[in-house]
């Protein structure tokens, strides 16, 4: 990285040439790409809007969170998880692993820099990435210029807040699941959890464990599978079966096991989709829920399952079946969205392969395949960047006479 232009005004914007890719996001994908590039001797700059790596895990997840998949599917390139870690590492263990990973590869992101725009300059064949520093009260602007741009912010940047009639009039606390930490302060309270994905299920379980009275809104159909089948990870089993069997047969096998191990979820108000769990994931990106104890709480009556919401009032919620519930708080487990389309000036960002666009543009973690998919994207991206980097380097060498050959890098 080399700052080649800076205005005399101390607070004015500066322009920085990056002799390599700019990576936006210091989460697991950004770190994985950085480490792989480091091993290839390719310079890069990582931009992170927060003040730490893996800000989603550190600041916007609940305390009881663990990896949903076995650790072997979630480890970053070159460094496995410590042997003493359990099969499903805790939030703290995963964050510690990522921080140690960054130290091992000497990855030092530019923290507190929020991307305002990223635009490809067709005339110069370069990317112009403009950022604003989010440190303190002073607004510092920077423009990074590079040949390759890697978007590694992932799909879960901001929480989706649904537009539900009367929600603004509700007098109790309303938070998104990204701001939920623990059910401790909700003991004895009636809490409505809106959403029945993995977050909604786990938040409901956590609330129940702290003696709250959660009601979980199940508006649409969802697949619930046991996290493990006969002592083996359901995900691991599915990956193994798919090596030998068609997807639809693997779906049937998983559903048969689910029926025997957790029973008919429709009895508790949770309908299954018509498509199988893996087919639904592949075609529509909808992840099945891996049960870690929520269904048992539903069966015992500690967690109530309720249908969709019609409207909120000051202290109650009216459901689509006409029932009215008194509630104290609302937790919105209603998903996330990416802010990339707001700052990336490229209509072809989501290319057909999901990870490589035009003009040196790459994206990690946007293929709706979870953490393991994001890491797989990172490996492909770093390999492709390495190939393009070596190709360009060879072209530069061929253009320079042998007796005057000199390559300058910053």
């Amino acid at each position: 990285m080399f700052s080649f232009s800076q205005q005399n005004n101390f607070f004015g914007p500066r322009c920085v040439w990056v002799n390599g890719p700019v990576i936006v996001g210091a989460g697991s994908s950004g770190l994985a790409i950085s480490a792989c590039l480091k091993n290839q001797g390719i310079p890069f700059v990582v931009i992170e809007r927060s003040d730490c790596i893996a800000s989603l895990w550190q600041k916007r997840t609940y305390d009881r969170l663990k990896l949903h998949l076995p650790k072997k599917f979630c480890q970053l390139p070159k460094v496995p998880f410590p042997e003493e870690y359990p099969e499903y590492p805790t939030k703290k263990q995963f964050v510690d692993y990522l921080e140690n990973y960054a130290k091992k590869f000497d990855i030092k992101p530019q923290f507190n820099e929020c991307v305002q725009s990223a635009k490809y300059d067709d005339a110069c064949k370069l990317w112009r990435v403009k950022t604003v520093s989010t440190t303190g009260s002073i607004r510092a602007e920077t423009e990074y210029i590079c040949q390759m741009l890697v978007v590694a912010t992932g799909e879960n940047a901001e929480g989706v807040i649904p537009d539900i009639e009367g929600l603004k009039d509700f007098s109790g606390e309303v938070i998104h699941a990204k701001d939920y930490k623990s059910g401790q302060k909700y003991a004895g309270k009636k809490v409505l959890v809106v959403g029945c994905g993995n977050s909604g299920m786990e938040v409901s379980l956590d609330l129940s464990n702290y003696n709250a009275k959660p009601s979980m809104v199940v508006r649409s159909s969802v697949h619930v599978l046991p996290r493990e089948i006969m002592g083996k990870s359901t995900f691991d089993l599915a990956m193994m079966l798919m090596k030998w069997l068609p997807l639809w047969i693997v779906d049937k096998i998983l559903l048969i096991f689910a029926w025997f191990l957790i029973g008919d979820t429709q009895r508790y108000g949770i309908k299954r989709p018509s498509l199988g769990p893996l087919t639904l994931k592949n075609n529509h990106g909808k992840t099945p829920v891996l049960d870690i104890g929520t269904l048992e709480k539903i069966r015992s009556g500690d967690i109530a399952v309720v249908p969709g919401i019609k409207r909120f009032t000051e202290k109650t919620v009216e459901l689509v079946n006409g029932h009215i519930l008194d509630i104290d708080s609302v937790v919105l487990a209603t998903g996330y969205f990416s802010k990339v389309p707001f700052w990336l000036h490229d209509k072809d960002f989501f290319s057909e392969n999901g990870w490589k666009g035009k003009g040196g543009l790459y994206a990690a973690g946007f293929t709706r395949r979870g953490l393991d998919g994001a890491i797989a994207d990172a490996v492909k991206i770093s390999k492709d960047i390495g190939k393009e980097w070596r190709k360009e380097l060879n072209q530069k060498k061929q253009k320079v006479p042998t007796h005057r050959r000199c390559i300058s890098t910053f």
Side-chain angles (χ1 to χ4, degrees):
M1 182 174 70
F2 180 66
S3 179
F4 65 85
S5 148
Q6 187 166 0
Q7 294 184 0
N8 293 329
N9 182 354
F10 181 78
F11 301 112
R14 65 186 182 123
C15 197
V16 178
W17 165 258
V18 180
N19 193 16
V22 166
I23 302 169
V24 182
S28 52
S29 298
L31 295 178
I33 295 168
S34 300
C36 291
L37 294 180
K38 200 95 171 184
N39 270 8
Q40 299 177 75
I42 300 173
F44 58 88
V45 169
V46 181
I47 299 171
E48 169 58 46
R49 69 173 182 172
S50 186
D51 60 355
C52 62
I53 65 167
S55 60
L56 174 65
W57 278 83
Q58 296 212 50
K59 298 186 176 185
R60 290 176 286 166
T61 52
Y62 37 92
D63 296 341
R64 66 160 288 119
L65 180 63
K66 296 181 179 180
L67 291 180
H68 291 135
L69 303 181
K71 59 184 179 181
K72 70 177 181 179
F73 293 108
C74 303
Q75 64 189 27
L76 274 58
K78 316 294 183 185
V79 181
F81 279 99
E83 289 185 6
E84 65 270 18
Y85 274 28
E87 186 72 350
Y88 302 94
T90 65
K91 167 183 171 177
K92 184 181 184 306
Q93 288 172 327
F94 187 54
V95 170
D96 288 345
Y97 167 77
L98 293 179
E99 288 183 335
N100 290 331
Y101 189 88
K103 289 178 183 177
K104 178 179 177 64
F105 292 98
D106 194 29
I107 302 168
K108 298 177 180 178
Q110 302 294 308
F111 290 119
N112 299 303
E113 287 201 34
C114 184
V115 176
Q116 301 298 294
S117 69
K119 188 174 183 179
Y120 187 69
D121 189 327
D122 289 303
C124 301
K125 305 298 181 185
L126 296 168
W127 282 95
R128 296 181 177 275
V129 183
K130 296 182 179 180
T131 70
V132 171
S133 173
T134 54
T135 303
S137 58
I138 300 175
R139 179 184 176 90
E141 298 179 359
T142 303
E143 182 179 43
Y144 295 91
I145 299 176
C146 55
Q147 291 181 304
M148 289 175 278
L149 174 64
V150 182
V151 182
T153 55
E155 299 169 295
N156 299 335
E158 298 294 337
V160 173
I161 306 297
D163 184 14
I164 304 175
E165 182 182 347
L167 182 58
K168 294 180 180 179
D169 300 323
F170 179 67
S171 60
E173 180 188 55
V174 179
I175 63 168
H176 191 273
K178 67 183 179 65
D179 300 312
Y180 176 91
K181 297 302 178 185
S182 164
Q184 186 172 8
K185 72 173 186 176
Y186 298 99
K189 293 184 178 181
K190 300 173 183 176
V191 184
L192 185 73
V193 180
V194 184
C196 59
N198 278 299
S199 293
M201 289 276 190
E202 287 200 36
V203 167
S204 297
L205 176 61
D206 190 58
L207 286 166
S208 179
N209 287 341
Y210 278 101
N211 297 315
K213 300 173 183 178
S215 295
M216 183 174 65
V217 175
V218 180
R219 185 175 57 87
S220 56
S221 57
V222 61
H223 279 298
V224 182
L225 303 174
R227 185 171 70 172
E228 293 185 343
I229 295 175
M230 295 185 295
K232 191 176 186 66
S233 158
T234 299
F235 182 82
D236 199 359
L237 177 63
M239 294 300 102
M240 182 183 69
L241 291 174
M242 282 195 294
K243 293 179 181 179
W244 311 101
L245 300 171
L247 189 65
W248 69 271
I249 293 182
V250 179
D251 271 337
K252 293 289 185 184
I253 293 172
L254 292 180
L255 290 175
I256 289 171
F257 275 119
W259 181 278
F260 279 109
L261 293 174
I262 61 179
D264 181 10
T265 59
Q266 189 163 334
R267 292 172 54 192
Y268 312 111
I270 304 174
K271 296 181 180 179
R272 289 196 181 277
S274 56
L275 294 177
L278 300 181
T279 302
L280 190 64
K281 174 66 174 174
N282 280 0
N283 294 353
H284 302 284
K286 190 172 183 180
T287 304
V289 172
L290 297 176
D291 180 53
I292 57 172
T294 306
L295 280 180
E296 183 61 37
K297 291 281 190 175
I298 292 173
R299 279 192 287 265
S300 67
D302 293 323
I303 298 174
V305 173
V306 299
I309 298 167
K310 185 175 181 179
R311 67 172 66 89
F312 283 92
T313 64
E314 185 180 359
K315 295 183 179 180
T316 67
V317 60
E318 182 181 352
L319 306 174
V320 292
N321 61 5
H323 292 176
I324 296 176
L325 303 178
D326 293 324
I327 53 174
D328 300 306
S329 302
V330 177
V331 179
L332 300 171
T334 44
Y336 298 81
F337 70 94
S338 169
K339 296 193 73 174
V340 174
F342 294 98
W343 55 259
L344 181 63
H345 297 230
D346 191 304
K347 295 180 181 178
D348 299 321
F349 172 58
F350 294 101
S351 55
E352 291 182 5
N353 60 34
W355 60 274
K356 184 178 181 179
K358 299 176 182 178
L361 176 64
Y362 298 89
F366 290 87
T367 51
R368 296 185 177 183
R369 293 185 295 133
L371 183 56
D372 61 310
I375 294 171
D377 289 344
V379 173
K380 287 187 289 187
I381 288 169
S382 58
K383 287 182 178 178
D384 197 76
I385 289 176
K387 182 180 70 175
E388 294 296 325
W389 177 267
R390 290 187 293 273
K391 179 180 176 181
E392 184 179 344
L393 204 59
N394 289 333
Q395 289 175 348
K396 288 180 179 179
K397 287 180 180 179
Q398 292 171 6
K399 290 180 181 179
V400 179
T402 305
H403 65 282
R404 295 180 62 189
R405 186 170 295 166
C406 177
I407 296 177
S408 176
T409 60
F410 295 96

Short mmCIF file of all heavy atoms in Angstrom, two decimals, residues 267-311:
data_model
loop_
_atom_site.label_atom_id
_atom_site.label_comp_id
_atom_site.label_asym_id
_atom_site.label_seq_id
_atom_site.Cartn_x
_atom_site.Cartn_y
_atom_site.Cartn_z
N ARG A 267 -47.33 -31.68 14.08
CA ARG A 267 -48.17 -31.81 15.27
C ARG A 267 -48.00 -30.61 16.20
O ARG A 267 -48.88 -30.28 16.98
CB ARG A 267 -47.81 -33.08 16.04
CG ARG A 267 -48.16 -34.37 15.34
CD ARG A 267 -47.59 -35.55 16.09
NE ARG A 267 -47.98 -35.55 17.50
CZ ARG A 267 -47.44 -36.34 18.42
NH1 ARG A 267 -46.44 -37.16 18.09
NH2 ARG A 267 -47.86 -36.28 19.67
N TYR A 268 -46.85 -29.94 16.08
CA TYR A 268 -46.55 -28.80 16.97
C TYR A 268 -46.67 -27.46 16.24
O TYR A 268 -46.24 -26.43 16.74
CB TYR A 268 -45.14 -28.96 17.54
CG TYR A 268 -44.86 -30.34 18.08
CD1 TYR A 268 -43.96 -31.19 17.44
CD2 TYR A 268 -45.52 -30.80 19.22
CE1 TYR A 268 -43.73 -32.47 17.93
CE2 TYR A 268 -45.28 -32.08 19.71
CZ TYR A 268 -44.39 -32.91 19.06
OH TYR A 268 -44.16 -34.18 19.55
N GLY A 269 -47.25 -27.52 15.04
CA GLY A 269 -47.47 -26.29 14.30
C GLY A 269 -46.34 -25.90 13.35
O GLY A 269 -46.30 -24.78 12.85
N ILE A 270 -45.42 -26.84 13.10
CA ILE A 270 -44.29 -26.57 12.21
C ILE A 270 -44.41 -27.46 10.97
O ILE A 270 -44.10 -28.65 11.01
CB ILE A 270 -42.94 -26.82 12.92
CG1 ILE A 270 -42.86 -25.99 14.20
CG2 ILE A 270 -41.78 -26.49 11.98
CD1 ILE A 270 -41.63 -26.29 15.04
N LYS A 271 -44.89 -26.88 9.89
CA LYS A 271 -45.10 -27.64 8.66
C LYS A 271 -43.79 -27.76 7.88
O LYS A 271 -42.98 -26.84 7.86
CB LYS A 271 -46.14 -26.96 7.79
CG LYS A 271 -47.53 -26.91 8.41
CD LYS A 271 -48.52 -26.23 7.47
CE LYS A 271 -49.90 -26.18 8.09
NZ LYS A 271 -50.87 -25.50 7.19
N ARG A 272 -43.63 -28.91 7.23
CA ARG A 272 -42.46 -29.11 6.38
C ARG A 272 -42.74 -28.64 4.95
O ARG A 272 -43.83 -28.81 4.44
CB ARG A 272 -42.04 -30.58 6.35
CG ARG A 272 -41.43 -31.07 7.66
CD ARG A 272 -40.70 -32.39 7.45
NE ARG A 272 -40.13 -32.88 8.71
CZ ARG A 272 -38.98 -32.48 9.21
NH1 ARG A 272 -38.26 -31.60 8.53
NH2 ARG A 272 -38.53 -32.97 10.35
N PRO A 273 -41.74 -28.06 4.26
CA PRO A 273 -41.92 -27.68 2.86
C PRO A 273 -42.08 -28.90 1.97
O PRO A 273 -41.73 -30.02 2.35
CB PRO A 273 -40.61 -26.94 2.54
CG PRO A 273 -40.01 -26.59 3.86
CD PRO A 273 -40.44 -27.66 4.80
N SER A 274 -42.62 -28.67 0.78
CA SER A 274 -42.81 -29.78 -0.16
C SER A 274 -41.47 -30.26 -0.72
O SER A 274 -41.29 -31.45 -1.00
CB SER A 274 -43.73 -29.35 -1.31
OG SER A 274 -43.23 -28.19 -1.95
N LEU A 275 -40.51 -29.35 -0.89
CA LEU A 275 -39.18 -29.73 -1.36
C LEU A 275 -38.36 -30.28 -0.19
O LEU A 275 -38.54 -29.88 0.96
CB LEU A 275 -38.45 -28.52 -1.95
CG LEU A 275 -39.02 -27.93 -3.25
CD1 LEU A 275 -38.22 -26.69 -3.66
CD2 LEU A 275 -39.00 -28.95 -4.38
N GLY A 276 -37.45 -31.20 -0.49
CA GLY A 276 -36.58 -31.76 0.53
C GLY A 276 -35.63 -30.71 1.07
O GLY A 276 -35.39 -29.67 0.44
N PRO A 277 -35.02 -30.96 2.24
CA PRO A 277 -34.17 -29.94 2.89
C PRO A 277 -32.96 -29.52 2.05
O PRO A 277 -32.64 -28.33 1.98
CB PRO A 277 -33.74 -30.62 4.20
CG PRO A 277 -34.01 -32.07 4.00
CD PRO A 277 -35.15 -32.17 3.07
N LEU A 278 -32.28 -30.48 1.41
CA LEU A 278 -31.10 -30.13 0.61
C LEU A 278 -31.50 -29.50 -0.72
O LEU A 278 -30.83 -28.56 -1.19
CB LEU A 278 -30.23 -31.37 0.38
CG LEU A 278 -29.70 -32.04 1.65
CD1 LEU A 278 -28.83 -33.24 1.29
CD2 LEU A 278 -28.90 -31.06 2.50
N THR A 279 -32.57 -29.99 -1.31
CA THR A 279 -33.07 -29.40 -2.56
C THR A 279 -33.51 -27.96 -2.33
O THR A 279 -33.21 -27.08 -3.13
CB THR A 279 -34.26 -30.22 -3.10
OG1 THR A 279 -33.84 -31.58 -3.30
CG2 THR A 279 -34.75 -29.65 -4.43
N LEU A 280 -34.18 -27.72 -1.22
CA LEU A 280 -34.64 -26.37 -0.88
C LEU A 280 -33.46 -25.44 -0.66
O LEU A 280 -33.47 -24.28 -1.08
CB LEU A 280 -35.51 -26.42 0.38
CG LEU A 280 -36.27 -25.15 0.74
CD1 LEU A 280 -37.30 -24.80 -0.32
CD2 LEU A 280 -36.95 -25.30 2.09
N LYS A 281 -32.42 -25.96 -0.01
CA LYS A 281 -31.22 -25.16 0.24
C LYS A 281 -30.52 -24.81 -1.08
O LYS A 281 -30.11 -23.66 -1.30
CB LYS A 281 -30.28 -25.94 1.15
CG LYS A 281 -28.92 -25.29 1.39
CD LYS A 281 -29.04 -24.00 2.16
CE LYS A 281 -27.66 -23.45 2.50
NZ LYS A 281 -27.73 -22.11 3.13
N ASN A 282 -30.39 -25.79 -1.96
CA ASN A 282 -29.71 -25.57 -3.23
C ASN A 282 -30.47 -24.64 -4.15
O ASN A 282 -29.89 -23.78 -4.81
CB ASN A 282 -29.48 -26.91 -3.95
CG ASN A 282 -28.28 -27.65 -3.41
OD1 ASN A 282 -27.61 -27.19 -2.49
ND2 ASN A 282 -28.00 -28.81 -3.96
N ASN A 283 -31.79 -24.80 -4.19
CA ASN A 283 -32.61 -24.04 -5.15
C ASN A 283 -32.98 -22.65 -4.65
O ASN A 283 -33.10 -21.72 -5.45
CB ASN A 283 -33.89 -24.81 -5.49
CG ASN A 283 -33.60 -26.10 -6.25
OD1 ASN A 283 -32.46 -26.35 -6.64
ND2 ASN A 283 -34.62 -26.91 -6.45
N HIS A 284 -33.19 -22.52 -3.33
CA HIS A 284 -33.71 -21.26 -2.80
C HIS A 284 -32.89 -20.67 -1.66
O HIS A 284 -33.22 -19.61 -1.14
CB HIS A 284 -35.16 -21.44 -2.33
CG HIS A 284 -36.08 -21.93 -3.41
ND1 HIS A 284 -36.56 -21.11 -4.42
CD2 HIS A 284 -36.60 -23.17 -3.66
CE1 HIS A 284 -37.34 -21.80 -5.22
NE2 HIS A 284 -37.38 -23.06 -4.80
N GLY A 285 -31.82 -21.35 -1.27
CA GLY A 285 -30.95 -20.82 -0.23
C GLY A 285 -31.54 -20.86 1.17
O GLY A 285 -31.00 -20.22 2.08
N LYS A 286 -32.61 -21.61 1.37
CA LYS A 286 -33.25 -21.67 2.69
C LYS A 286 -32.66 -22.82 3.49
O LYS A 286 -32.79 -23.99 3.15
CB LYS A 286 -34.76 -21.85 2.55
CG LYS A 286 -35.51 -21.67 3.86
CD LYS A 286 -37.01 -21.66 3.66
CE LYS A 286 -37.74 -21.42 4.98
NZ LYS A 286 -39.21 -21.40 4.81
N THR A 287 -31.99 -22.47 4.58
CA THR A 287 -31.26 -23.45 5.39
C THR A 287 -32.18 -24.20 6.34
O THR A 287 -33.02 -23.58 7.01
CB THR A 287 -30.17 -22.73 6.23
OG1 THR A 287 -29.33 -21.99 5.34
CG2 THR A 287 -29.35 -23.73 7.00
N PRO A 288 -32.06 -25.54 6.43
CA PRO A 288 -32.85 -26.27 7.41
C PRO A 288 -32.39 -25.95 8.83
O PRO A 288 -31.23 -25.60 9.06
CB PRO A 288 -32.58 -27.74 7.06
CG PRO A 288 -31.28 -27.73 6.33
CD PRO A 288 -31.23 -26.43 5.60
N VAL A 289 -33.29 -26.06 9.77
CA VAL A 289 -32.96 -25.82 11.18
C VAL A 289 -32.39 -27.11 11.76
O VAL A 289 -32.95 -28.19 11.58
CB VAL A 289 -34.22 -25.40 11.97
CG1 VAL A 289 -33.92 -25.36 13.47
CG2 VAL A 289 -34.73 -24.06 11.48
N LEU A 290 -31.26 -26.98 12.46
CA LEU A 290 -30.68 -28.12 13.15
C LEU A 290 -31.05 -28.02 14.62
O LEU A 290 -30.63 -27.10 15.32
CB LEU A 290 -29.15 -28.12 12.98
CG LEU A 290 -28.67 -28.28 11.53
CD1 LEU A 290 -27.14 -28.18 11.46
CD2 LEU A 290 -29.13 -29.60 10.95
N ASP A 291 -31.88 -28.94 15.06
CA ASP A 291 -32.44 -28.86 16.42
C ASP A 291 -31.40 -29.21 17.48
O ASP A 291 -30.70 -30.22 17.38
CB ASP A 291 -33.63 -29.82 16.53
CG ASP A 291 -34.25 -29.80 17.91
OD1 ASP A 291 -34.57 -28.69 18.38
OD2 ASP A 291 -34.38 -30.87 18.53
N ILE A 292 -31.31 -28.36 18.52
CA ILE A 292 -30.39 -28.61 19.63
C ILE A 292 -31.13 -28.64 20.96
O ILE A 292 -30.53 -28.48 22.02
CB ILE A 292 -29.26 -27.56 19.67
CG1 ILE A 292 -29.84 -26.15 19.76
CG2 ILE A 292 -28.35 -27.69 18.45
CD1 ILE A 292 -28.79 -25.08 20.01
N GLY A 293 -32.43 -28.85 20.91
CA GLY A 293 -33.22 -28.95 22.14
C GLY A 293 -34.50 -28.14 22.13
O GLY A 293 -35.32 -28.27 23.05
N THR A 294 -34.72 -27.35 21.10
CA THR A 294 -35.93 -26.50 21.06
C THR A 294 -37.20 -27.34 20.95
O THR A 294 -38.20 -27.04 21.61
CB THR A 294 -35.85 -25.52 19.87
OG1 THR A 294 -34.62 -24.78 19.95
CG2 THR A 294 -37.02 -24.55 19.90
N LEU A 295 -37.16 -28.40 20.13
CA LEU A 295 -38.37 -29.22 19.94
C LEU A 295 -38.83 -29.87 21.25
O LEU A 295 -40.03 -29.99 21.49
CB LEU A 295 -38.13 -30.29 18.88
CG LEU A 295 -38.22 -29.83 17.42
CD1 LEU A 295 -37.96 -30.99 16.48
CD2 LEU A 295 -39.60 -29.23 17.13
N GLU A 296 -37.88 -30.26 22.07
CA GLU A 296 -38.24 -30.85 23.37
C GLU A 296 -38.97 -29.83 24.23
O GLU A 296 -39.95 -30.15 24.92
CB GLU A 296 -36.97 -31.34 24.07
CG GLU A 296 -37.24 -32.03 25.41
CD GLU A 296 -38.11 -33.26 25.27
OE1 GLU A 296 -37.96 -33.99 24.26
OE2 GLU A 296 -38.95 -33.48 26.16
N LYS A 297 -38.53 -28.59 24.18
CA LYS A 297 -39.20 -27.51 24.93
C LYS A 297 -40.59 -27.22 24.34
O LYS A 297 -41.51 -26.84 25.08
CB LYS A 297 -38.35 -26.24 24.88
CG LYS A 297 -37.05 -26.33 25.67
CD LYS A 297 -37.29 -26.13 27.16
CE LYS A 297 -36.00 -25.97 27.91
NZ LYS A 297 -36.22 -25.66 29.36
N ILE A 298 -40.73 -27.36 23.04
CA ILE A 298 -42.04 -27.16 22.41
C ILE A 298 -42.99 -28.27 22.83
O ILE A 298 -44.16 -28.03 23.17
CB ILE A 298 -41.90 -27.11 20.88
CG1 ILE A 298 -41.15 -25.83 20.46
CG2 ILE A 298 -43.27 -27.15 20.20
CD1 ILE A 298 -40.81 -25.78 18.98
N ARG A 299 -42.49 -29.50 22.83
CA ARG A 299 -43.32 -30.65 23.24
C ARG A 299 -43.77 -30.52 24.69
O ARG A 299 -44.90 -30.89 25.04
CB ARG A 299 -42.54 -31.95 23.05
CG ARG A 299 -42.55 -32.47 21.62
CD ARG A 299 -42.03 -33.89 21.56
NE ARG A 299 -40.58 -33.94 21.76
CZ ARG A 299 -39.69 -33.96 20.79
NH1 ARG A 299 -40.09 -33.93 19.52
NH2 ARG A 299 -38.40 -34.02 21.05
N SER A 300 -42.90 -29.98 25.55
CA SER A 300 -43.23 -29.86 26.98
C SER A 300 -44.13 -28.65 27.26
O SER A 300 -44.64 -28.51 28.37
CB SER A 300 -41.95 -29.75 27.80
OG SER A 300 -41.29 -28.52 27.53
N GLY A 301 -44.30 -27.77 26.26
CA GLY A 301 -45.14 -26.59 26.44
C GLY A 301 -44.39 -25.38 26.96
O GLY A 301 -44.98 -24.31 27.17
N ASP A 302 -43.06 -25.51 27.15
CA ASP A 302 -42.27 -24.37 27.64
C ASP A 302 -42.09 -23.30 26.56
O ASP A 302 -41.84 -22.14 26.86
CB ASP A 302 -40.89 -24.84 28.11
CG ASP A 302 -40.99 -25.72 29.36
OD1 ASP A 302 -41.84 -25.42 30.22
OD2 ASP A 302 -40.22 -26.69 29.48
N ILE A 303 -42.19 -23.72 25.30
CA ILE A 303 -42.16 -22.78 24.17
C ILE A 303 -43.45 -22.98 23.38
O ILE A 303 -43.78 -24.10 22.98
CB ILE A 303 -40.95 -23.03 23.25
CG1 ILE A 303 -39.64 -22.81 24.00
CG2 ILE A 303 -41.01 -22.11 22.01
CD1 ILE A 303 -38.40 -23.17 23.19
N ALA A 304 -44.19 -21.90 23.19
CA ALA A 304 -45.44 -21.98 22.41
C ALA A 304 -45.14 -21.66 20.95
O ALA A 304 -44.32 -20.79 20.65
CB ALA A 304 -46.47 -21.00 22.98
N VAL A 305 -45.80 -22.38 20.06
CA VAL A 305 -45.71 -22.11 18.62
C VAL A 305 -47.01 -21.44 18.19
O VAL A 305 -48.09 -21.98 18.42
CB VAL A 305 -45.47 -23.40 17.81
CG1 VAL A 305 -45.54 -23.11 16.31
CG2 VAL A 305 -44.13 -24.01 18.17
N VAL A 306 -46.88 -20.26 17.56
CA VAL A 306 -48.06 -19.51 17.16
C VAL A 306 -47.97 -19.17 15.66
O VAL A 306 -46.87 -19.13 15.10
CB VAL A 306 -48.22 -18.21 17.98
CG1 VAL A 306 -48.39 -18.54 19.46
CG2 VAL A 306 -47.04 -17.28 17.77
N PRO A 307 -49.11 -18.95 15.00
CA PRO A 307 -49.10 -18.63 13.57
C PRO A 307 -48.69 -17.18 13.31
O PRO A 307 -48.22 -16.48 14.22
CB PRO A 307 -50.54 -18.88 13.15
CG PRO A 307 -51.34 -18.60 14.38
CD PRO A 307 -50.48 -19.06 15.52
N GLY A 308 -48.88 -16.72 12.07
CA GLY A 308 -48.46 -15.39 11.68
C GLY A 308 -49.15 -14.26 12.43
O GLY A 308 -50.16 -14.45 13.11
N ILE A 309 -48.56 -13.06 12.31
CA ILE A 309 -49.04 -11.87 13.03
C ILE A 309 -49.96 -11.05 12.13
O ILE A 309 -49.65 -10.81 10.96
CB ILE A 309 -47.85 -11.00 13.48
CG1 ILE A 309 -46.97 -11.80 14.45
CG2 ILE A 309 -48.33 -9.71 14.14
CD1 ILE A 309 -45.62 -11.13 14.70
N LYS A 310 -51.06 -10.60 12.72
CA LYS A 310 -51.95 -9.68 11.99
C LYS A 310 -51.60 -8.23 12.33
O LYS A 310 -51.43 -7.39 11.45
CB LYS A 310 -53.41 -9.97 12.34
CG LYS A 310 -54.40 -9.13 11.54
CD LYS A 310 -55.84 -9.55 11.83
CE LYS A 310 -56.82 -8.71 10.99
NZ LYS A 310 -58.24 -9.12 11.25
N ARG A 311 -51.50 -7.95 13.63
CA ARG A 311 -51.14 -6.57 14.03
C ARG A 311 -50.71 -6.55 15.50
O ARG A 311 -51.01 -7.47 16.27
CB ARG A 311 -52.33 -5.64 13.85
CG ARG A 311 -53.51 -5.91 14.78
CD ARG A 311 -54.57 -4.81 14.68
NE ARG A 311 -55.20 -4.78 13.37
CZ ARG A 311 -56.29 -5.49 13.05
NH1 ARG A 311 -56.85 -6.28 13.96
NH2 ARG A 311 -56.82 -5.39 11.85
#
